[in-house]
Amino acid sequence: MSAIDELKSISTKKHVVTSIEYDCPSQEKEDEVFDTVQGILKHHLDEVAKITYDLEADDKVKVEVTQNL
């Protein structure tokens, strides 16, 4: 069992925050990330407390998801 799995196994209400930074050298890659975020909102809205999509400098896109567990 990983360290994260051990923390998730604690029996109480919790929120898990995942942050992923993508290198997107093209508009197509930015669109792929954005479309995926839209799909999460469409199909997994009940699992998500918060989701952010930020365009950053140097062709970076940062997505942060707070999940209800």
Side-chain angles (χ1 to χ4, degrees):
M1 180 179 283
S2 74
I4 298 300
D5 290 334
E6 287 185 41
L7 289 169
K8 285 181 178 180
S9 71
I10 297 169
S11 178
T12 189
K13 184 179 179 181
K14 57 193 144 289
H15 301 282
V16 175
V17 179
T18 303
S19 180
I20 303 173
E21 188 174 282
Y22 298 91
D23 291 320
C24 295
S26 67
Q27 183 65 46
E28 291 79 22
K29 285 295 177 187
E30 284 182 21
D31 292 344
E32 181 181 357
V33 175
F34 186 76
D35 291 345
T36 301
V37 168
Q38 285 185 311
I40 289 168
L41 291 172
K42 184 176 180 182
H43 301 290
H44 302 283
L45 187 57
D46 58 330
E47 300 171 27
V48 176
K50 177 182 169 184
I51 189 166
T52 60
Y53 172 94
D54 294 313
L55 295 173
E56 298 185 345
D58 300 327
D59 299 321
K60 304 258 190 253
V61 174
K62 183 176 180 182
V63 177
E64 187 170 285
V65 179
T66 302
Q67 292 175 278
N68 298 315
L69 294 181

